[in-house]
Amino acid sequence: MWPVDQRTRLLEAALFAAPRPLALDELAVLDADATEDDWRRALAELSDHYQTEGHGVELAEVAGGWQITTLPIFAEAIERAAFAARPAKLSGAALEVLAIVAYRQPVGRAEIEDIRGVACGGVLRMLQERGLLEVAGRSEGLGRPILYATTPLFLELVGLADLADLPRTEELAVALKPLQAEPPAGAPEPPQPAEP
Amino acid sequence: MWPVDQRTRLLEAALFAAPRPLALDELAVLDADATEDDWRRALAELSDHYQTEGHGVELAEVAGGWQITTLPIFAEAIERAAFAARPAKLSGAALEVLAIVAYRQPVGRAEIEDIRGVACGGVLRMLQERGLLEVAGRSEGLGRPILYATTPLFLELVGLADLADLPRTEELAVALKPLQAEPPAGAPEPPQPAEP
Amino acid sequence: MIAGPTPHSPEPGTPATPPAMPGGAATGARPGAALAEPAGAPAEGGFVVSLERYSGPLDLLLSLIKREEIDIWDIPIARIADQFLQAIHVLGLDEAAEYLEMAARLLRIKAQMLLPRRGDEEPWEDPRHELVRRLLEYQQIREITDWLAAAARRRAECYVRGWIPAAPDVPAPPPVLDLTELVEAVERVLAMMPDPVIMRVMPRPLNVEGATRRVLDLLAERERFGWRDLLGERPTIVDVLSCLVSLLELARAGTLTLAQRRPFTPFDVARGPAYQAA
């Protein structure tokens, strides 16, 4: 059983919250009543506890101060898991640009902006940086604009084996306007509601 | 004496190394042999240990995951020592916007401004930049306005495990029920209580 | 919040309470305000006003109602309207559009309340109804805001790990994306797609031969002439291009020379070494 020394608990909390190793004189600010020897005892107690009570972390003396670090034996598993920053969701605008490129590739910026009605240089750059779009060449047209296409990572993320597996746009277009049947050729009357 | 379960030690090391709360499915990457129940057991064991063995930290369920944090009783000393950066405070206006979005998401700017009675484009932009709000899509309405939703970082900010942990509107002092009960005839539509 | 003297005397018709701004009881129940950083240090002297104190006209109105201990279901609109006008004047908010809009709304309701009601068979719509609805809705949001502020304060007492070991150079995690989202985006794109405008491109061949004839005619007349002399009053783009091509062709053959005296000025055309009078 660990003797619950309040100072040792404070030490653990402080070392945990600090963004860098803390030296003895920095610890002094935490508790005006404690001497350096008191802090040395607390450090020894905490270190002892981590060693004997089966923890995943240890107390390390680093750069003239003290720091809690994870045990090296777990380093590989943690590195493999790569808990980086939160994966970010794509914005609505980014999704729209992706959708246009997916169906029209290779496609230039002008055409994308024509369809969406707003500039999208920043979105295109971001999608390139994140590996979802790539430059597929240049158009033969005026100014030889850059053409964009989707990457294999894009297919992987949406879970498709091939671009041909994308839902057909015709189907989507029909799904969008379910109440409008094809008017008979040359018929002057307005579109008839579709039969249920 | 703490039974030294290797998985619990790995869990502690991983939570120490992660820059944000880790969800159960993220823990799975650490050890392919462990089931979710194994991780739940390890979490319970670690939490127990922190509580009973006199530590300065505890295990908290936040934003759909688990995180180690310092005990509130040490907050004052750590703040006084000022080695940990405190998160920047939010203005009352920013919190108001967060409150509205939390309960009505996905919600557009017009509705937020309608409820608050003041413009809030700047606040919305700031909250997006700080990662507390994100664009959740576009409304089908006129002009297809952008809709906002809260992020996991918002849950972290207020220390909630889940949006469902927000107080239910029925529990609030101001219930909108009475107004619905006795609307004057011909009144505009009764207000809808917000659903979390 | 007002500090210092408030340069106001009670107006006739208003209650005897001093026109000081609602503070005290109303502000005590606002932890959200405690969390707010002031927009800037208030000036010393005179009366000090923090606009941050009220997050909007609804907030100010609610504070007035609370201070006056008014039943929200039966707001004495004339009294509250007067107090609201007075408050925004004292707070220096009488140029803020949002507060003025609310003031106008209150005055309109006040006027509507004065209208004689028609008979009992006609259901009477309380002109205050919409305002009450908005006030209650806002009050609910304020309560949630206070709750969130308290939760954020509690959370701020729990420090997370301050030192995160540098991640090995792992590329940023792939963004979250699924097919449903993409399909929704396609639908949005389809909805916003403009109807195609079909334009036919008409071939308009350059008339280099005609232009060459015109150049040679001019050279026969004069030893040198300006570029503008070659083109008519309002040349078409095809005329310009035709002339340009013919000039370049003739210059290459040495029939004429082209000279520009200064940058960006029209150039002169002159007979060249190989010029032979036709």
Side-chain angles (χ1 to χ4, degrees), chain A residues 122-134 153, chain C residues 171-172 175:
Chain A
V123 176
L124 278 171
R125 206 164 35 248
M126 183 273 288
L127 289 171
Q128 258 187 290
E129 273 164 16
R130 306 192 67 167
L132 294 169
L133 292 187
E134 62 191 359
L153 177 65

Side-chain angles (χ1 to χ4, degrees), chain C residues 204-212 214-215 227 230-247:
Chain C
R204 289 277 301 274
L206 300 184
N207 185 1
V208 180
E209 274 176 43
T212 305
R214 238 159 54 225
V215 172
W227 158 256
L230 183 58
L231 297 164
E233 192 68 0
R234 296 175 68 179
T236 66
I237 188 88
V238 175
D239 289 340
V240 174
L241 288 174
S242 305
C243 287
L244 198 56
V245 172
S246 75
L247 284 174

Side-chain angles (χ1 to χ4, degrees), chain A residues 95-191:
Chain A
L95 281 168
E96 286 167 17
V97 171
L98 262 185
I100 294 170
V101 177
Y103 283 94
R104 298 218 170 184
Q105 56 190 303
V107 60
R109 174 168 150 181
E111 192 181 343
I112 301 169
E113 294 184 341
D114 255 13
I115 293 173
R116 294 191 58 239
V118 283
C120 63
V123 176
L124 278 171
R125 206 164 35 248
M126 183 273 288
L127 289 171
Q128 258 187 290
E129 273 164 16
R130 306 192 67 167
L132 294 169
L133 292 187
E134 62 191 359
V135 173
R138 277 171 179 277
S139 152
E140 289 307 310
L142 195 68
R144 301 185 37 74
I146 289 172
L147 296 177
Y148 297 90
T150 55
T151 61
L153 177 65
F154 163 78
L155 284 178
E156 198 184 308
L157 287 174
V158 294
L160 294 180
D162 195 286
L163 279 175
D165 297 338
L166 280 170
R168 312 268 310 155
T169 42
E170 290 88 339
E171 291 163 18
L172 288 170
V174 170
L176 263 183
K177 300 186 176 79
L179 292 180
Q180 283 187 4
E182 280 280 293
E189 63 261 69

Side-chain angles (χ1 to χ4, degrees), chain A residues 16-17 67-68 79 88 92 96 157, chain C residues 161-163 168 176-177 186 188:
Chain A
F16 178 82
Q67 190 166 42
I68 304 171
E79 234 170 83
E96 286 167 17
L157 287 174
Chain C
R161 185 86 200 273
W163 177 75
V176 179
L177 173 66
V186 171
R188 291 202 299 274

Side-chain angles (χ1 to χ4, degrees), chain B residues 151-170:
Chain B
T151 62
L153 194 63
F154 161 76
L155 289 175
E156 258 188 78
L157 173 84
V158 293
L160 292 182
D162 196 284
L163 279 176
D165 295 341
L166 286 167
R168 300 180 56 80
T169 43
E170 303 93 78

Side-chain angles (χ1 to χ4, degrees), chain C:
Chain C
M1 188 70 198
I2 307 293
T6 46
H8 250 264
S9 56
E11 288 171 19
T14 52
T17 45
M21 282 312 92
T27 53
R30 295 196 48 203
L35 210 80
E37 327 104 307
E44 296 296 323
F47 58 86
V48 181
V49 170
S50 166
L51 299 188
E52 285 279 301
R53 181 59 65 186
Y54 298 101
S55 71
L58 287 166
D59 195 18
L60 175 57
L61 199 55
L62 265 185
S63 301
L64 289 169
I65 288 169
K66 251 183 234 162
R67 186 191 65 173
E68 298 292 306
E69 293 176 356
I70 285 169
D71 177 9
I72 200 162
W73 299 104
D74 190 19
I75 300 172
I77 213 78
R79 193 170 115 206
I80 278 295
D82 288 346
Q83 293 198 354
F84 187 86
L85 285 172
Q86 207 178 321
I88 62 173
H89 177 68
V90 173
L91 286 169
L93 291 172
D94 41 7
E95 279 177 31
E98 290 135 348
Y99 289 84
L100 287 180
E101 194 190 319
M102 176 59 76
R105 186 189 306 265
L106 290 172
L107 293 176
R108 199 174 62 236
I109 296 173
K110 181 177 159 184
Q112 282 168 344
M113 295 292 284
L114 295 174
L115 289 177
R117 298 183 198 182
R118 276 182 281 174
D120 285 331
E121 71 278 1
E122 190 88 20
W124 180 68
E125 189 185 323
D126 192 332
R128 297 171 297 183
H129 173 79
E130 171 62 14
L131 180 67
V132 171
R133 184 195 69 79
R134 288 192 66 194
L135 280 172
L136 286 176
E137 186 178 56
Y138 180 73
Q139 202 177 345
Q140 189 183 50
I141 289 302
R142 279 240 53 102
E143 198 181 341
I144 295 165
T145 304
D146 292 347
W147 190 91
L148 286 179
R153 261 200 316 280
R154 274 196 307 276
R155 167 69 179 176
E157 291 184 343
C158 303
Y159 286 86
V160 298
R161 185 86 200 273
W163 177 75
I164 300 298
D169 205 8
V170 181
V176 179
L177 173 66
D178 66 55
L179 192 55
T180 329
E181 283 180 311
L182 187 76
V183 168
E184 281 167 10
V186 171
E187 289 174 0
R188 291 202 299 274
V189 168
L190 286 175
M192 71 175 71
M193 212 136 73
D195 290 333
V197 179
I198 297 170
M199 290 194 249
R200 193 176 303 156
V201 179
M202 302 290 287
R204 289 277 301 274
L206 300 184
N207 185 1
V208 180
E209 274 176 43
T212 305
R213 265 199 307 278
R214 238 159 54 225
V215 172
L216 290 177
D217 285 352
L218 272 171
L219 277 184
E221 263 175 47
R222 296 180 241 166
E223 202 170 315
R224 70 177 58 238
F225 59 90
W227 158 256
R228 289 202 198 282
D229 300 333
L230 183 58
L231 297 164
E233 192 68 0
R234 296 175 68 179
T236 66
I237 188 88
V238 175
D239 289 340
V240 174
L241 288 174
S242 305
C243 287
L244 198 56
V245 172
S246 75
L247 284 174
L248 291 173
E249 284 289 329
L250 291 169
R252 195 165 56 111
T255 312
L256 51 80
T257 59
L258 298 170
Q260 194 178 22
R261 287 172 196 174
R262 281 190 308 278
F264 310 116
T265 54
F267 52 83
D268 288 337
V269 182
R271 288 177 189 165
Y275 177 77
Q276 292 162 342

